[in-house]
Amino acid sequence: MNYEKKDSDYYSNVRHDLISLIDESKKGLKILEIGAAYGATLYHLKSSNIAQEVVGIDIFEDTKNKEKYLPLDTFIFGNIESLDVSKYDNYFDVVILADVLEHLIEPKIALEKIYKTVKPNGEILVSMPNVRHYSVFKQVFLKGDFKYEESGILDYTHYRFYCKKNIIALLESSGLVTKQIISSLNIYKGKSLTKFINKVTFGVFEEFFTVQYLYKGLKK
């Protein structure tokens, strides 16, 4: 996949939604992020004293925008599927995978490698798009158009697609114990019609209104 064609803004946001899954009482953590982009989330975690050490891995090095990279303790460029990260076995308190697994050819194999880098009782935080969202149904089944896009659920760099139960099954297959799985709809702070409909229907259609799921898993 050609990540050079991605707009630079695609790589630049702080993932406050995933950060909110970290226990507020925890400080001085060692945190790894796969798909760290310019390092914004990790830099925020360290500058907030949540993290003591931050390590970022990303498949693409944006040599045209080097000034956008934020200072991390370690930044590794390469594909997690082929990188040797065994020196970090049982090292990290938290590993973040923000919209990463759907981009991998063999996510299960990568997860087994990532799982080893987490300390016992450490956590893996994941966000993944939900292909059951009504917008995909509308485009594919009503319009008959499976057209890939620059970003979003049908991002052209996605190799795999998941519904909620598939996300849980994939992550638990690596040995994780599910602690939380949260719909992006439920953490959206603004007003929206889908949020209102979801509330008055007691969440019956939540999986059709959810753009992505946030997952928190524990390594036992």
Side-chain angles (χ1 to χ4, degrees):
M1 291 294 180
N2 190 349
Y3 288 87
E4 293 184 26
K5 292 183 179 179
K6 291 284 189 182
D7 188 283
S8 62
D9 290 340
Y10 178 85
Y11 302 100
S12 59
N13 61 321
V14 176
R15 292 301 302 266
H16 292 286
D17 51 353
L18 286 171
I19 290 173
S20 71
L21 300 182
I22 300 173
D23 188 336
E24 292 182 358
S25 66
K26 292 182 178 179
K27 301 291 182 182
L29 303 174
K30 294 178 180 178
I31 300 179
L32 167 67
E33 183 178 13
I34 314 293
Y38 297 122
T41 297
L42 290 173
Y43 183 76
H44 175 82
L45 285 163
K46 188 161 187 182
S47 60
S48 302
N49 296 317
I50 296 170
Q52 168 191 326
E53 180 181 354
V54 290
V55 177
I57 295 176
D58 202 273
I59 193 171
F60 173 64
E61 182 176 6
D62 189 357
T63 55
K64 294 179 181 178
N65 294 285
K66 285 190 173 182
E67 73 284 353
K68 291 192 175 185
Y69 285 100
L70 293 162
L72 307 181
D73 293 292
T74 306
F75 213 127
I76 302 165
F77 293 105
N79 189 333
I80 187 58
E81 295 191 79
S82 55
L83 283 173
D84 179 4
V85 291
S86 58
K87 71 176 184 178
Y88 289 115
D89 282 0
N90 297 305
Y91 189 81
F92 294 105
D93 299 288
V94 177
V95 175
I96 298 172
L97 294 126
D99 302 314
V100 168
L101 294 171
E102 63 274 13
H103 294 267
L104 303 182
I105 296 172
E106 293 289 352
K108 186 174 180 179
I109 294 173
L111 267 172
E112 290 170 357
K113 181 191 299 187
I114 294 162
Y115 181 86
K116 292 177 182 177
T117 69
V118 184
K119 294 177 180 178
N121 295 313
E123 297 171 346
I124 293 182
L125 310 179
V126 177
S127 63
M128 293 178 71
N130 171 37
V131 76
R132 204 178 183 191
H133 189 260
Y134 76 88
S135 63
V136 178
F137 177 86
K138 179 180 177 182
Q139 180 172 318
V140 176
F141 293 98
L142 298 185
K143 294 185 177 180
D145 184 7
F146 202 112
K147 181 178 69 175
Y148 287 94
E149 300 168 349
E150 178 66 26
S151 61
I153 298 171
L154 296 179
D155 186 311
Y156 70 87
T157 58
H158 289 179
Y159 280 108
R160 295 177 180 268
F161 300 92
Y162 297 87
C163 297
K164 180 182 180 181
K165 69 178 181 180
N166 309 120
I167 293 171
I168 295 171
L170 172 67
L171 292 160
E172 289 187 346
S173 72
S174 71
L176 289 170
V177 177
T178 300
K179 301 298 290 183
Q180 287 179 276
I181 183 156
I182 304 169
S183 165
S184 57
L185 185 69
N186 292 331
I187 61 172
Y188 178 66
K189 294 182 179 179
K191 294 181 179 180
S192 73
L193 179 60
T194 52
K195 190 173 182 179
F196 172 75
I197 294 171
N198 189 56
K199 184 176 181 179
V200 299
T201 57
F202 303 100
V204 171
F205 302 106
E206 183 174 284
E207 287 190 50
F208 298 101
F209 296 147
T210 299
V211 174
Q212 70 175 189
Y213 282 100
L214 309 181
Y215 176 95
K216 179 178 180 179
L218 179 71
K219 178 178 179 179
K220 283 291 188 181

